[in-house]
Every structure is written in C-alpha cells, then in structure tokens.
Amino acid sequence: MKEKSNNIDLTTGNIMSQMLKFFWPMLLGSLFQQLYTTVDAIIVGQFAGKAGLASIDAVSSMLRLAVNMFVGIGTGATVVISQFYGAKKEQELHKSIHTAAAFALIAGAFISIAGIFIAQPALNMLGVPADIYDQSLGYVRVYFAGLIVLLCYNISAGVARAMGDSKTPFRALVVSGILNMILDYIFVAILKTGAPGAGLATVISQAVSVIIVARSLMKNQGAERLELRKIAIDKKIFGAIMKIGFPMGIQSSLYPIANVIIQKSVNALGTDSIAAWALGLKLDTIIWLTFNTMNQTISTFVAQNYGAKQIKRAREGTRICLVATSVIILAMGTILFFFAEPLGRLFLTAEDAHIAKVTAVLMHIQAFTYVTYAPTSVLSGAIRGAGESFMPMVMTLVGMCAVRIAWAFFVVPLNNTLTTIIWGYPISWALTSVAFILYYIPFSKRKFAE
C-alpha cells in the first residue's frame, strides 16, 4: 500500500517518536482553535456588545448537545479505519472511508434540516430573554444550517488521523481559523450583523477546512483515496462503526449533565465565586486539551497495531503513553500551582484582582491531582482502539458523572464552599482511574490474546 508522506504508520518505528509526531500537530491545532474561539468572543463582545455575547452563550449548551452524539459516532469511524489501515486490509479500508463520508453527509443533512425547524421551540424551552431572542434565533438557525459542514470536517479529519495524518487537519484549522477571525470582523464589526454574522463566519471557515482535508484524502493513492462517486454505506462496516461510536456518542451527550448540576452549586455562591470558577476553567484548558489529544493518540496507535496484530507493541505503547501523559500533566500542574494567581490577573480588571486569589486556591487543590485522571484518559483510548466502547462509557458515566452528582447532592450541602465543590473533581478522577486500571489488566490479556 503506497503511503502519502503525511500518513504515519504507527505499527513500525520508535514508539515514542511516532506518537509524538502524531500528537503535536493535534495539540497545536486544538490550541489554535481555542485561540481563535477567544478572539471570536472578543470581536463579538467589542462590536456586538454584551447582547451579542449573551445571545451565543444562552444557546451554547444546546448546540453542543446536538453535535456530541454524532462526533462520538465519528470517533468510532476513526477506530475502525485505523484497524483496517494497520491490518493492511485494503478493500475494507476503502469501504470504511467511503462509509464514514456517507454517514457524515446523511447525518449532517438530517441534523441541519431538523435543527432549523426546532430552533424556535428550543429557544422557547430554554427561556431565552426577549432582548436577545432575535439574535439567538438567527445564530442558532445559521449554526444548525452549517452543522453538515461541521460534521463533515470532524469525520474527514478523523479519517485522516486514522491513517496517521494529523498534519493536514492542523493546517486546515490554521487556515480556517484565520479566515474565521477575518470574516468575524467583516460581518460583526463592519456589516453589524451581530451573533448571526459570527455564526455565518464559523460555517464558511469550516467549509474551507472540509475542502482542505477532503482534497488531501482525494490525493491519496490506492485504498486510502477518497473518491466521490464511491461514497456509500457498507452495512457491515457501518455496524462496526456504530458498535464503537454509539456508546461514545451517548457518553459525550450525557457527560455535561454532571457539570450543569455542579455549576448550580457554584451559582448559589454569588458572582465572585462564579467568576473565580469560570477563570479556573480557562486556566486549566491546556490540561484538558492535552488529555484529549493523548486519548486520540493512543486510540489510533492501539487501533493500528491491533489491526496489524502487533499486540506487544500495542501494550507497550499504552504503557509509554501513560507514563508520558503523567509526566506532562504533572509539569503543567506544577506551573499552575505557582503561577495561577498572576495568570488569572491577565483576565481581570484591577478592581476584580481579588478573584484571582480565589481561583489560585482552587488551582492549588487540583494542580497535583490532575495526574489522577491520566489512567482514565489513556486506558479509555487504548480500550476503544482495541474495539471495545461500551464499558469505557459505563465506567466514565458512573465514575465521572454519577460520583459528581452524588457529591453535589449529599456532600456539598454540608459545607457549600468552592473548596468543597472542587474536591468532587479529583475524587471522581481517582475513582474512575482505579476502575479503568482494574478493567484494563484482564481486558488486555483477554482481548489482545484473541
């Protein structure tokens, strides 16, 4: 099978070197995406005012919920394609690429059309205030209309990464991100279109990213090549994708519920506490981007090696990834421990500087406990890479969601402070990681022996 230069065969070569070549473009892409999202907020806030920002924030959770299920299924496509790529099964690889593309088009068209019709009832159900209702409705309709583009990007980027190419999606994010910022300025600052203009800028820039990644796939050779006329769903392969992706979609859709309940406890403490909590979420963004990127890296690595029957290499790669993730997260946590307060002041005015001190207290609790999440991040990815998605969903929903909800209902009322609330997070990380370790040991012996 002739490989395109951007593709990385993770079944050969030095494990750490190959992983890092795959890991860095994804992490940098995520960081850049976070950067232009921040710039988006600044442009909307400056030129559309608080009404523009509020009209987007008021519906953001609903939009994420609509997308999460299908993004999870896309993760299943990435694993299946990675396994066929590692196994050098050219016919199955070719069919799986085109099945994923067909799913993106069909599912994207469905949620785009359905979203446009349910936009108004959904806003009524959310109780969006009258002064921002029109802007929110316009934004939601534009966003939903463009969901087919978002889904096509996620699927096409997942296909590229499944074959070891994380550079092309990174380049697509850079180009589309810069375009998004330019269009935001044109639509929001110059044309005064408010939040709907920001939504349109996002849709157009995402369409460009789809074109970049799709063109790259169409330039591939042999079985790796995307051919528009061959886009169709293969029932057997689609079943394999759903077996892995559907539980992931369920997990992604239900996961935010626990955080909403936690947020309710925070909201009860007043504006300063809400601001300190929100600031903490900004400061540890890099931690969670690193965890997510490592999860995708080990999932692709294990999937390729599992498909190639490189069982020893898959297990060794998992061990190396776990150690590397722990070391990187400890280093990042140490930086947050010592610099949380000065970093927090960058986001605050002089009169609100006291909020950074509260955030620093929260970061001091979490700084050296983030590492307890490392086994969950790495082992869940490794288990999915080997084709098992149901148990990772169950363990994550119980350990990360149920534990936090129980903490919010039974522990927090005894002493409703930010420090009490924050301790629910490291406790849930540690318990979930213990569950994954206990599951992974017999799983790896059984699954990798099959």
Side-chain angles (χ1 to χ4, degrees):
M1 198 186 305
K2 185 178 179 181
E3 287 190 75
K4 183 171 176 269
S5 59
N6 279 338
N7 290 352
I8 302 174
D9 187 347
L10 297 171
T11 64
T12 62
N14 180 271
I15 292 176
M16 178 62 82
S17 175
Q18 295 290 78
M19 278 189 179
L20 289 177
K21 278 196 279 186
F22 185 79
F23 167 80
W24 284 116
M26 278 201 299
L27 180 61
L28 292 173
S30 297
L31 288 171
F32 187 83
Q33 200 170 25
Q34 194 68 33
L35 172 64
Y36 83 69
T37 299
T38 302
V39 174
D40 273 358
I42 292 172
I43 293 173
V44 173
Q46 288 291 323
F47 296 100
K50 64 180 182 181
L53 279 177
S55 62
I56 295 174
D57 289 342
V59 295
S60 59
S61 59
M62 177 188 73
L63 295 176
R64 283 196 299 270
L65 189 64
V67 172
N68 283 355
M69 170 63 75
F70 295 98
V71 172
I73 295 173
T75 302
T78 302
V79 171
V80 170
I81 294 169
S82 295
Q83 290 181 351
F84 288 141
Y85 182 79
K88 305 296 187 287
K89 294 183 176 180
E90 298 193 4
Q91 186 176 2
E92 289 87 347
L93 173 63
H94 198 61
K95 287 181 179 179
S96 62
I97 291 172
H98 292 86
T99 296
F103 168 76
L105 290 170
I106 295 170
F110 172 77
I111 59 175
S112 287
I113 295 170
I116 292 171
F117 284 104
I118 67 169
Q120 192 164 358
L123 261 63
N124 294 337
M125 184 182 67
L126 289 172
V128 175
D131 58 330
I132 62 171
Y133 188 91
D134 288 342
Q135 279 207 67
S136 287
L137 181 59
Y139 178 79
V140 169
R141 282 177 170 164
V142 170
Y143 193 93
F144 269 124
L147 275 180
I148 184 172
V149 178
L150 175 61
L151 190 57
C152 284
Y153 170 75
N154 280 312
I155 294 290
S156 60
V159 170
R161 290 173 183 140
M163 296 183 290
D165 179 11
S166 56
K167 291 181 180 179
T168 299
F170 168 63
R171 285 197 293 266
L173 281 175
V174 172
V175 173
S176 65
I178 293 172
L179 177 62
N180 192 33
M181 289 184 279
I182 294 171
L183 291 176
D184 262 340
Y185 186 79
I186 293 172
F187 292 149
V188 179
I190 298 176
L191 300 180
K192 307 296 183 183
T193 54
L200 182 59
T202 299
V203 171
I204 293 173
S205 61
Q206 285 175 342
V208 171
S209 68
V210 172
I211 293 171
I212 293 172
V213 179
R215 283 194 55 169
S216 175
L217 293 173
M218 291 166 70
K219 290 179 180 178
N220 283 350
Q221 301 298 316
E224 302 166 31
R225 186 177 182 180
L226 174 64
E227 301 176 67
L228 297 181
R229 62 187 177 83
K230 292 186 177 180
I231 292 178
I233 287 182
D234 180 282
K235 292 182 180 179
K236 183 177 180 181
I237 289 176
F238 183 68
I241 289 173
M242 291 298 290
K243 180 182 177 183
I244 299 171
F246 187 70
M248 185 66 182
I250 293 291
Q251 176 186 315
S252 299
S253 298
L254 296 180
Y255 192 85
I257 294 175
N259 290 335
V260 169
I261 294 172
I262 292 289
Q263 187 66 50
K264 185 178 179 181
S265 298
V266 175
N267 292 348
L269 298 175
T271 302
D272 281 4
S273 293
I274 296 171
W277 188 271
L279 181 57
L281 295 178
K282 291 184 184 296
L283 292 181
D284 69 1
T285 296
I286 182 63
I287 297 281
W288 297 107
L289 289 179
T290 301
F291 273 134
N292 290 338
T293 306
M294 281 295 192
N295 178 273
Q296 293 177 60
T297 298
I298 192 60
S299 179
T300 303
F301 180 89
V302 169
Q304 283 195 18
N305 283 278
Y306 182 76
K309 295 183 170 56
Q310 298 268 24
I311 304 308
K312 183 177 179 181
R313 183 179 173 87
R315 296 179 70 171
E316 180 65 11
T318 302
R319 185 189 66 80
I320 290 173
C321 189
L322 181 56
V323 173
T325 302
S326 300
V327 171
I328 292 171
I329 295 300
L330 276 174
M332 291 179 173
T334 301
I335 293 171
L336 275 180
F337 183 88
F338 289 106
F339 297 102
E341 188 173 341
L343 287 172
R345 288 201 195 102
L346 297 175
F347 295 85
L348 300 166
T349 60
E351 59 267 27
D352 291 330
H354 63 283
I355 291 173
K357 293 182 180 295
V358 180
T359 300
V361 172
L362 302 180
M363 291 297 101
H364 289 165
I365 293 173
Q366 292 192 111
F368 298 115
T369 59
Y370 287 117
V371 71
T372 61
Y373 183 76
T376 296
S377 176
V378 174
L379 298 182
S380 64
I383 293 167
R384 289 192 185 97
E388 170 60 59
S389 189
F390 180 76
M391 281 307 296
M393 176 197 73
V394 172
M395 288 186 289
T396 300
L397 289 179
V398 173
M400 302 292 285
C401 298
V403 168
R404 288 182 193 175
I405 292 172
W407 185 268
F409 278 114
F410 299 110
V411 178
V412 171
L414 301 177
N415 183 31
N416 193 7
T417 64
L418 282 182
T419 52
T420 302
I421 295 171
I422 202 72
W423 270 110
Y425 283 79
I427 288 172
S428 67
W429 301 334
L431 290 175
T432 308
S433 287
V434 169
F436 269 102
I437 292 169
L438 294 176
Y439 181 79
Y440 176 77
I441 293 172
F443 170 86
S444 63
K445 292 178 180 178
R446 170 180 57 82
K447 188 71 174 180
F448 291 151
E450 290 175 355

